Amino acid sequence: MKRDDMVAHVRDRQERREPWDVIVIGGGATGAGVAVDAASRGFSVLLLEREDFAKGTSSRSTKLVHGGVRYLERGNVALVIEALKERGILRQNAPHLVHDVPFVVPNYSWWESPFYGIGLKLYDLLAGKYGFGQSKILSREETLEHLPTLQQDGLIGGVIYHDGQFDDSRLLIHLLQTAVDHGATVLNYAPVVALRKDAGGFIEGVEAVDSETSERFALQARVVVNATGIFTDEIRRLDDAGARTMVAPSQGIHLVLHRSFLPGDTAVMVPHTSDARVLFAIPWHGHTVLGTTDTPIDQPCYEPLPFEQEIDFVLETAGRYLSRPPRREDILSVYVGIRPLVKAVGADAERTSALSRDHTIHIDASGLLTIVGGKWTTYRHMAEDTMNHAITLGKLADRPCVTKDLHIHGYLQDVDPHEDLWVYGADAEAVKAIASESEEMGRRLHPALPYNAAEVVWAARQEMARSVEDVLARRTRALFLNARAAIAMAPEVARLLSRELGRDRTWEEDQVAGFKELAAQYALEKFAPSDLPEPKKD
């Protein structure tokens, strides 16, 4: 997957004035899913992303592939069934990236074991043949065997259940590679700046710009899909400046701590917090992730800042359940994501946690097809639904969806998530081959993290990484795991990238300076204005 080849494909098709069957705007989970679905059905596909792939929401999740226990509590059984089925399909098709994680709900009151035990048995039942494991009630001793760092005062026992975990931006890259393997063209740093319309006002393509060269493309398409997530309304207003707002953005933060706070392979799920959400403490890439919050915001952006009150809330809530309450100085990184929740008439803007995570497909009078909402777990089903609509809208051949049984790029069974390079799946051997070329290529970039120089080279050559941020935030997860370690890695990453991409010393210096500025907020040096209202209590 090389960027120069992708640009050449776009340029060639423009010169031949040959329309694409489908142009997808947006390189996150939803857009990548649509590209995979369309390409695997045999359609010609172009995906255009304004920034880097997974720059926004799709790299900032809680790292779970799950049915959504809280949706079950709210009675949205249909959504839970769909998500549990898709969870199973995703593990089946990407076993190198999706694996089972046991979760324990700790019980400190007598009624919690039977209450949560019954609810999680229903969760198992709804999963059917796609189940990851059976839930059961644990004694106090069994609970502490799974979670030795749990707060023991008042602990009665727990309930254990199973869900899935993954690396979100790695899956996104592998989905894009899957689309390319099936003939799609994907291009990052290529914003769509206008929608092209025919004499009747119906959309017939897009205008896009290559941000690296300023080359402009006028591209034709039978269907244009808006899959831009939190920026959905921006694209809709390219079509109609007066389009009503569809997205009610809500941000959630995650705090990353040392592994010692949760040293095993079992996660913690706190089913009720003061803002009516659940709180997770999850082992991930040798660290502990705490999250999340649900804070309504006015406008989406690529790099949202955490509110200090959000950090205090997560630390305080986690401190009730961990024997060593985490403090601010324990935080290695904080990352913030924005959910593209779909606004409904009469919805309470102050309670975004109550908005549905169902996806919505909207077709404007111009023929612009928008897919918004949903969540990572259901990306495949969302893409199938989108393409079924696109086939009708664009008068395309009625070809069936094949993604239910489609192996995702890198497919490899029996991967050990504790080993270095496991996230590459079948590509790991190629990365190891680069690492074996020289002592320089095999060298770790920082003692606190497992990444080596070969991964930087692989990201540039095969995964379209164009910047230090691309490598340290999304091709590896260094910035999300340990912001200060990532800052220390930046000069060496810039040097390696510069050599691969043919850049000069000035480019390297600019890259390092820009990355340090970005990483400051992950290292708790920047905050949003402290005007956040206190979390609502039920």
Side-chain angles (χ1 to χ4, degrees):
M1 193 166 77
K2 302 178 186 296
R3 192 174 188 280
D4 288 347
D5 292 344
M6 300 298 159
V7 173
H9 292 162
V10 174
R11 189 181 296 124
D12 176 66
R13 200 147 191 137
Q14 175 184 245
E15 290 172 355
R16 289 189 285 116
R17 297 184 180 180
E18 183 177 355
W20 301 84
D21 289 327
V22 183
I23 289 180
V24 181
I25 309 173
T30 305
V34 173
V36 169
D37 187 292
S40 61
R41 295 196 201 203
F43 297 119
S44 59
V45 181
L46 171 63
L47 180 146
L48 298 167
E49 164 57 44
R50 177 165 62 182
E51 298 290 332
D52 184 34
F53 305 124
K55 166 69 174 175
T57 304
S58 296
S59 63
R60 301 159 187 269
S61 73
T62 312
K63 319 306 179 194
L64 298 180
V65 182
H66 63 140
V69 174
R70 70 187 181 96
Y71 307 127
L72 183 60
E73 183 182 11
R74 291 182 181 138
N76 196 339
V77 175
L79 178 61
V80 174
I81 291 174
E82 176 194 319
L84 287 171
K85 177 182 177 181
E86 291 300 322
R87 181 191 69 171
I89 291 172
L90 186 50
R91 183 174 67 167
Q92 166 189 300
N93 291 334
H96 61 299
L97 283 171
V98 179
H99 59 274
D100 165 60
V101 172
F103 284 76
V104 168
V105 181
N107 301 156
Y108 292 89
S109 298
W110 67 268
W111 57 268
E112 291 179 311
S113 287
F115 180 79
Y116 294 121
I118 292 170
L120 290 168
K121 282 296 180 186
L122 177 58
Y123 195 64
D124 295 343
L125 181 64
L126 295 176
K129 68 177 182 179
Y130 296 103
F132 276 28
Q134 292 296 308
S135 63
K136 66 176 183 177
I137 294 174
L138 303 177
S139 68
R140 184 178 191 275
E141 291 71 25
E142 289 172 325
T143 299
L144 291 173
E145 284 179 15
H146 285 279
L147 296 168
T149 55
L150 203 60
Q151 173 59 255
Q152 298 186 30
D153 291 347
L155 180 67
I156 295 174
V159 181
I160 192 168
Y161 72 100
H162 296 260
D163 248 324
Q165 186 179 60
F166 75 138
D167 184 315
D168 46 15
S169 68
R170 289 305 318 173
L171 178 58
L172 190 283
I173 293 298
H174 284 202
L175 283 173
L176 292 167
Q177 289 173 314
T178 306
V180 171
D181 291 343
H182 286 82
T185 298
V186 301
L187 189 59
N188 53 356
Y189 297 104
V192 169
V193 295
L195 300 175
R196 296 167 59 85
K197 297 183 180 181
D198 62 19
F202 198 82
I203 288 177
E204 61 177 6
V206 305
E207 292 183 18
V209 176
D210 181 348
S211 294
E212 294 193 353
T213 63
S214 298
E215 182 177 3
R216 195 176 184 100
F217 300 105
L219 306 168
Q220 296 174 278
R222 294 181 174 89
V223 180
V224 174
V225 176
N226 174 18
T228 52
I230 58 176
F231 300 107
T232 290
D233 293 317
E234 283 190 30
I235 298 300
R236 292 185 62 240
R237 285 172 187 141
L238 287 180
D239 172 44
D240 175 6
R244 294 186 63 182
T245 300
M246 287 184 66
V247 174
S250 166
Q251 81 172 34
I253 73 162
H254 296 82
L255 307 182
V256 182
L257 313 175
H258 191 269
R259 174 180 168 82
S260 59
F261 284 90
L262 207 63
D265 293 326
T266 301
V268 180
M269 194 273 274
V270 177
H272 281 289
T273 65
S274 59
D275 73 342
R277 291 186 61 79
V278 301
L279 184 88
F280 293 105
I282 303 168
W284 187 67
H285 285 321
H287 293 70
T288 300
V289 177
L290 303 178
T292 179
T293 56
D294 202 310
T295 307
I297 58 174
D298 294 329
Q299 296 293 330
C301 64
Y302 279 110
E303 291 293 346
L305 292 166
F307 290 93
E308 292 200 50
Q309 294 97 317
E310 289 181 296
I311 294 171
D312 291 340
F313 170 75
V314 173
L315 289 175
E316 190 272 333
T317 304
R320 298 179 196 168
Y321 294 89
L322 298 177
S323 58
R324 176 160 64 105
R327 301 169 298 175
R328 286 201 171 214
E329 51 265 39
D330 296 316
I331 299 171
L332 300 175
S333 189
V334 55
Y335 66 91
V336 186
I338 299 177
R339 304 174 189 90
L341 303 178
V342 182
K343 183 178 290 187
V345 177
D348 182 355
E350 297 300 316
R351 289 295 301 275
T352 52
S353 64
L355 294 182
S356 172
R357 294 303 298 269
D358 286 317
H359 68 271
T360 294
I361 291 178
H362 177 84
I363 301 175
D364 285 293
S366 65
L368 177 66
L369 194 163
T370 293
I371 169 69
V372 65
K375 58 179 184 173
W376 244 118
T377 304
T378 58
Y379 88 90
R380 190 208 65 84
H381 176 69
M382 292 164 59
E384 179 180 0
D385 198 7
T386 300
M387 278 310 302
N388 287 342
H389 282 76
I391 285 171
T392 301
L393 183 64
K395 300 177 181 178
L396 303 175
D398 193 2
R399 299 168 183 160
C401 173
V402 299
T403 57
K404 185 176 179 182
D405 300 306
L406 182 70
H407 288 176
I408 291 169
H409 182 95
Y411 177 94
L412 188 67
Q413 292 184 325
D414 302 321
V415 170
D416 183 354
H418 297 98
E419 292 185 357
D420 291 351
L421 305 180
W422 67 269
V423 294
Y424 295 93
D427 287 339
E429 292 304 314
V431 180
K432 289 177 184 177
I434 298 174
S436 68
E437 291 175 0
S438 66
E439 182 180 346
E440 177 197 28
M441 286 295 99
R443 187 172 59 239
R444 282 206 172 182
L445 298 170
H446 193 280
L449 294 170
Y451 308 117
N452 62 34
E455 293 178 79
V456 181
V457 172
W458 176 263
R461 292 178 184 175
Q462 301 295 335
E463 297 180 345
M464 296 173 66
R466 311 299 288 179
S467 71
V468 169
E469 181 196 337
D470 293 351
V471 171
L472 291 178
R474 290 172 292 277
R475 304 310 185 277
T476 71
R477 309 316 304 273
L479 179 59
F480 285 64
L481 294 172
N482 190 324
R484 289 178 177 81
I487 290 170
M489 294 161 66
E492 177 66 3
V493 171
R495 186 186 69 81
L496 292 164
L497 269 183
S498 178
R499 189 168 66 192
E500 287 296 317
L501 301 178
R503 307 294 195 240
D504 59 19
R505 180 63 180 170
T506 300
W507 181 88
E508 289 183 42
E509 293 171 352
D510 289 345
Q511 281 287 305
V512 172
F515 182 77
K516 287 182 176 178
E517 174 70 16
L518 170 69
Q521 72 186 64
Y522 290 77
L524 282 181
E525 295 175 12
K526 293 182 179 180
F527 298 95
S530 298
D531 55 359
L532 177 66
E534 289 299 315
K536 284 181 173 286
K537 299 183 184 293
D538 288 348

